[in-house]
Amino acid sequence: MSTLSVAPAKKLNNIILQDINKSYSKGDNNVVVHDKFNLAIKSGDFVAIMGPSGLGKSTLLHLMGGLDRPTSGHVEIGGQRIDELSESKLTRWRADNIGFIFQSHHLLPVLSAQGNVELPLSLTPLNKKQRQQHAANALALVGMADRAHHFPKELSGGQEQRVAIARAIVSDPQILLCDEPTGNLDRKTADEILALLKKLNNDFGKTIVMVTHDLKAAEYASRVINLEEYIALGVEAQGAQIPQEQQSILVGE
Amino acid sequence: MIKQAIALSWINFKSFPHRLVASAISILSIACVAAVMLGVLALSSGMVKTMERTGLDNTLLVMRAGAVSELQSVMFPMEVKLLSNNDQVLRDKNGQAIVSAEMFVNAEYKKSPVNAQSNTEHVTLDGESLSLRGISQNTYLFRPHFKLIAGEKFATGLRQLIIGQAIARRMPELVVGKTINLGGSQWFISGVFSDNNSVFESELWADIGTVQSDYRRGSSVQSVRLALKNNTDLTKLAQEWQADPRLNVRLILEKVFFAEQAQNLTRLIRWIGLPIAIIMALGAIVAALNTMYAAIASRSKEIATHKAIGFTPFAISMSIMSEALLLAIVGGLLGVIPLYLVFDGWTAATQNANSLSQMMFNFDISLTLIAQAMTLSIVIGLLGGILPAIKAMRMPVTVALRDS
């Protein structure tokens, strides 16, 4: 475990969703969320996924983060089929590779900003002093060093989201999955948060996948996927992207 | 894994004040169970100890055949003489058999007007029934732990009595020098005695002749105690006396007699007390379940976030269990400590099922009993925590996050 990597990520963490079917039962009905869905995201990319509610944007994030499993199909990240991992291995993998940023920050009210950011580090072999140092670094990176000992109720919405971002990056995961990260924020604060994400993408090589309804937010991304249009492309067009993407990923484009 | 569980448990403990009311109800219900459980156990333990301290190993208690208590028995002088003549009975240096024939009656206090003409203050106790034992000089030989701790022994031929210290403690108004109204007669308290905290300390002792005459029993007695030689074969003795047509008796070692009484009493206490404790325990389990379900329901997003961060479901469930365990331990201590501080050694009175009179004994709260009550509390906590812990473990992260 290192402190937050300053150099762009060396390891490739390409995200590939292939032939994804995802459905769930609701009463007597079987609701199909995704049917033969294909998507590839290059390591180090900043992708915004947009579209109306109910298309399964968050479900895609959950599949990429290993919080959910596809009914069928492959979820491959960094060359590893995460849909085949056992629950305990998936949990461990998630702790090492994924940082989640939610619309509601989900900070623990009983812990200070520092405590919240330190929390994921309790999954690592770091000692107390090292954990404190890592958390302080992450807080400094998001501009919250002077609020380290404040509790969530003492922070504004934007500050809470910054702390949540610090928590997401403190273990130095390669991939950040953001579900409406600016949904609860005013424009100015939202822009600050988006700029921060952009910085994490540019300066630290983090792969960022962001679900958003906000067109302005999508402007920060290097690639925008309008899910409605993307799905309308059809199975073949989506699928056709995969080999090409995989090929370009493999040659490091 | 353990490290994760400790980290999450610590967070749960920190958020305790947010769930104060629900947690307090749970703690209180567990405290009540622990207290009732400990109370029942201490009660029966105290009784057993009191009974166990009563009676000597080589003392044979003889009563009328079929009598389960001294109260139900009656024996006549001829029988006492026949029993005393047996070779197995020890004799003193004068060749006299060491035998104690004793009267045993329930003496009832009746509320009577204070005699204004008398200088003596009357103590009137309404509805109390006390054991009055008529004894002779020989009786003291069978009570090696007897000790006069206040006043003096009663005078023969007078309505005087000495009272056991258990009664003296429970009824502080009964002091040496007072006259009490007993069965319609006035009895003078001449002294207070101790007897190794045995059942006898719950009795009043007086001269057997006076008791016989006061209760119009002629020369009959209730029981006979005989000091036996060490090598006495009880079975043989019983056969010998059964074969004698002049005798119709039941014989039992005094130690065994009181041990059996202790068993009967403790069985009674446990039959009544333990079902109550069990019903309360079920209630406490429900309260703990409710508290823990509410705790995880209010923290579903928090739990989902922990899972998303990478905490294992097992560590999360362990943290829920540790919270339930904490509730149980705090509840258990809250029930046990005050009971110990207030009631350990406290004298309680009950009706002796066999003699139908008051019997005093001490609550005996030992470490073993405390451990038993605490174990029950912990079991309640574990049972109350396990289902919510499983629920937390299985809680789908995506649903909880979507709800937010």
Side-chain angles (χ1 to χ4, degrees), chain A residues 62 91 94 106 108 123-124, chain B residues 3-4 302 305 307 310 398:
Chain A
H62 294 157
T91 305
R94 196 161 53 230
H106 297 324
L108 298 179
L123 302 169
T124 69
Chain B
K3 198 177 149 195
Q4 289 186 29
E302 194 177 306
T305 309
K307 284 185 181 172
T398 50

Side-chain angles (χ1 to χ4, degrees), chain A residues 89-251:
Chain A
K89 280 184 180 161
L90 189 60
T91 305
R92 183 70 246 170
W93 173 86
R94 196 161 53 230
D96 290 341
N97 295 284
I98 303 288
F100 281 100
I101 298 163
F102 307 105
Q103 179 176 356
S104 303
H105 46 77
H106 297 324
L107 295 178
L108 298 179
V110 293
L111 296 182
S112 65
Q114 172 89 21
N116 269 288
V117 176
E118 265 186 60
L119 190 61
L121 298 176
S122 54
L123 302 169
T124 69
L126 296 179
N127 63 33
K128 178 78 184 159
K129 202 174 171 187
Q130 289 169 320
R131 293 203 299 268
Q132 284 174 340
Q133 189 55 51
H134 278 62
N137 290 348
L139 281 168
L141 191 72
V142 299
M144 290 293 292
D146 56 340
R147 295 279 195 275
H149 300 294
H150 288 227
F151 285 84
K153 65 179 178 188
E154 298 164 337
L155 301 173
S156 69
Q159 289 172 329
E160 284 179 309
Q161 196 58 292
R162 281 172 184 271
V163 175
I165 293 172
R167 182 181 61 188
I169 61 174
V170 72
S171 314
D172 197 19
Q174 178 53 30
I175 299 167
L176 295 180
L177 302 176
C178 315
D179 197 351
E180 301 273 8
T182 56
N184 287 344
L185 304 175
D186 60 50
R187 184 73 265 156
K188 183 172 173 291
T189 314
D191 284 337
E192 286 170 7
I193 295 296
L194 290 161
L196 181 57
L197 291 176
K198 188 73 186 165
K199 182 181 170 188
L200 290 168
N201 176 242
N202 283 341
D203 298 355
F204 299 96
K206 302 291 176 198
T207 307
I208 298 180
V209 184
M210 174 174 71
V211 164
T212 183
H213 281 108
D214 182 5
L215 276 171
K216 192 96 191 303
E219 287 174 10
Y220 286 82
S222 50
R223 179 181 168 197
V224 178
I225 296 172
N226 185 317
L227 202 57
E228 198 169 23
E229 291 171 6
Y230 186 80
I231 290 170
L233 284 175
V235 177
E236 284 182 20
Q238 288 172 15
Q241 288 190 0
I242 297 292
Q244 192 188 345
E245 287 289 321
Q246 274 181 324
Q247 203 175 4
S248 63
I249 286 164
L250 288 171
V251 295

